[in-house]
Amino acid sequence: MSLFLDALLDSPLDDSIRGVPPGAAPLRLRDVGARGWRPAAGDMALPVLTLDEDAFAANRDLIFAYARRHGVALAPHAKTPMAPQIASALVEAGAWGATVANLQQAAVLLRAGVTRLILANEIGGRASGERLGALLAAHPDADLRAFADSPAAVETLAAAARAAGRRLPVLVEVGAGRAGARDRAAVDAILAAVVRHPGLLVLDGVATYEGAVATADPAETAANIAALMDRTAETFALVRALAPERPLLLTAGGSAFFDMVVAGLAPVAATDGNATLVLRSGAIFFHDHGVYERALGALDARQGFACGSTTAADFRPALRLWAEVLTRPEPELAICGFGMRDASFDQGLPRPLRVHRDGAALSAEGLRVTRLNDQHAFVAVPAGHDLAVGDIVEFGISHPCTCIDRWRVLFGLGADGRVRSAYRTFFG
């Protein structure tokens, strides 16, 4: 364990953190399990976001098994939880490395001892390049690969390498819909720019992101991703011609269409014989009750999760948001104590799962979140439902990436529903 992680576990938790009961004596992060808090029993200040640790572990084992079966590696995207404890644990469990989206995320993971990183984004101009170089100089053990989708991006990375005093591996990004080189001419310009800096930069492979070309039409999405995979493979051949001996990377893969990435690029890596396909999936470890529930349902419908007898339906939503009923101002309306400051809403509203009252778990059937204010959730209540002020409602969320980033601490729950760990997040 790095000194940073060890110190993190010794950092104090007090009632400035959501979830910690007001007036509770401060405690160390590593000691939180000793309190035996149960959010369902009202032991914690609500609202609070929790992680079902057994579900998370089961999801980890499923996606790791899938990767082994298909001969690919995983660099989970750290932007989903931005919790160095989680990123470090995934590497210890067998992940190839981790993915970050910007320099702040890279700095946090490097301090935590996660040294093999994919910087899956362009970072800007020369000043940003010099900041990256300073970061790499401060971490001589860092093994970081960075994206470039233009000659300007290449010059940024050359500035980083110059400031770091060492060569920097470059992944040529091919793309559509977001970043990435759009055609052969753009790819050729990137390659020529890298070759102009032989003492600073080295070609290390090709990257893309398939989610940027997805649409509401499954057939169109499949065609778009297949075309993107073909362009990625063609670019890989160009990189291989310029780096005939170097082990190279192919990298893509979010949490919705990774099967199409494997179908399109795993044969390319296998045929090459000196390349590794790295998936960057992040939200898959958390799953959800919304956008990824639908995405994995579609994955099963196309029989994309080929991993023995398991299916994508075996992934389990691991995040829960707990909130209290504050008022029943109308017969068919309840106001619960959470809102846009606490939960994601960009890919769907939270879903009531269970109602907890006096130690009993009751049905939430018919309850529906209709809208959110900053710190109020409007819940439609069917006629006859006895939802009462003080009841604790357990919600599932949609889109982990934009939910966890609202929380400085994510509390891990054991099978008994009690808090047994706490994860600090670092979203800047």
Side-chain angles (χ1 to χ4, degrees):
M1 179 181 293
S2 73
L3 293 176
F4 173 76
L5 284 179
D6 196 50
L8 183 60
L9 291 173
D10 283 332
S11 63
L13 273 182
D14 58 28
D15 56 12
S16 68
I17 300 294
R18 280 179 292 174
V20 178
L27 71 159
R28 298 184 305 173
L29 202 71
R30 69 169 79 243
D31 296 330
V32 68
R35 297 295 170 92
W37 291 331
R38 291 181 60 237
D43 296 338
M44 306 184 74
L46 302 181
V48 69
L49 184 69
T50 64
L51 175 70
D52 180 331
E53 294 194 323
D54 288 348
F56 181 89
N59 295 342
R60 176 202 63 206
D61 293 346
L62 275 173
I63 193 64
F64 275 39
Y66 175 91
R68 288 192 299 270
R69 186 179 183 92
H70 293 277
V72 303
L74 291 167
H77 210 316
K79 72 176 176 61
T80 300
M82 261 320 292
Q85 296 157 269
I86 291 176
S88 178
L90 288 173
V91 170
E92 289 179 6
W96 175 92
T99 299
V100 293
N102 56 40
L103 299 188
Q104 178 262 344
Q105 293 175 12
V108 170
L109 291 201
L110 288 173
R111 288 177 65 192
V114 180
T115 55
R116 183 185 275 174
L117 300 176
I118 294 176
L119 178 48
N121 206 356
E122 282 67 36
I123 60 171
R126 179 173 296 275
S128 288
E130 291 174 351
R131 284 190 286 270
L132 173 58
L135 178 63
L136 295 176
H139 295 274
D141 58 343
D143 178 9
L144 181 144
R145 284 100 164 147
F147 283 17
D149 69 348
S150 69
V154 171
E155 293 307 314
T156 291
L157 298 182
R162 192 174 294 112
R166 56 188 164 112
R167 294 174 87 195
L168 180 60
V170 177
L171 298 170
V172 178
E173 185 183 11
V174 176
R178 197 168 71 182
R182 298 298 201 256
D183 53 32
R184 171 67 184 270
V187 169
D188 286 342
I190 297 166
L191 296 176
V194 174
V195 169
R196 282 197 296 271
H197 296 287
L200 296 174
L201 304 176
V202 58
L203 286 167
D204 201 61
V206 184
T208 192
Y209 174 56
E210 72 288 351
V213 300
T215 72
D217 183 332
E220 183 179 36
T221 294
N224 289 349
I225 292 176
L228 182 60
M229 296 303 104
D230 287 345
R231 289 178 50 218
T232 302
E234 291 166 3
T235 302
F236 179 81
L238 298 175
V239 172
R240 174 52 79 201
L242 292 171
E245 305 297 331
R246 184 177 177 85
L248 296 178
L249 295 188
L250 280 159
T251 179
S255 295
F257 306 105
F258 56 84
D259 59 317
M260 297 184 186
V261 170
V262 171
L265 297 183
V268 176
T271 300
D272 179 83
N274 195 22
T276 301
L277 174 57
V278 180
L279 302 181
R280 305 192 303 273
S281 313
I284 193 75
F285 295 89
F286 300 87
H287 195 29
D288 69 7
H289 286 92
V291 60
Y292 286 108
E293 180 181 65
R294 296 189 293 274
L296 294 192
L299 193 152
D300 271 343
R302 61 180 181 261
Q303 298 182 322
F305 195 76
C307 189
S309 61
T310 60
T311 69
D314 292 314
F315 284 91
R316 296 157 51 190
L319 294 173
R320 298 291 188 276
L321 184 68
W322 306 79
E324 197 169 9
V325 178
L326 304 182
T327 181
R328 290 291 314 274
E330 300 170 14
E332 296 185 354
L333 174 66
I335 304 296
C336 285
F338 77 94
M340 292 185 289
R341 295 176 183 265
D342 309 297
S344 48
F345 53 90
D346 58 312
Q347 300 280 359
L349 295 171
R351 182 190 305 175
L353 302 176
R354 279 170 290 275
V355 176
H356 299 269
R357 180 189 301 162
D358 299 328
L362 310 174
S363 172
E365 184 175 359
L367 300 181
R368 180 172 57 89
V369 177
T370 60
R371 64 188 177 100
L372 302 176
N373 288 164
D374 281 2
Q375 294 183 292
H376 295 85
F378 293 72
V379 179
V381 182
H385 199 293
D386 68 343
L387 188 68
V389 170
D391 285 347
I392 295 171
V393 184
E394 177 185 353
F395 295 87
I397 62 93
S398 178
H399 200 189
C401 303
T402 55
C403 186
I404 303 174
D405 65 359
R406 288 161 165 77
W407 295 85
R408 290 166 58 196
V409 172
L410 176 63
F411 292 93
L413 296 188
D416 60 357
R418 296 183 184 276
V419 171
R420 66 183 182 192
S421 56
Y423 304 93
R424 274 289 315 276
T425 66
F426 291 81
F427 288 99

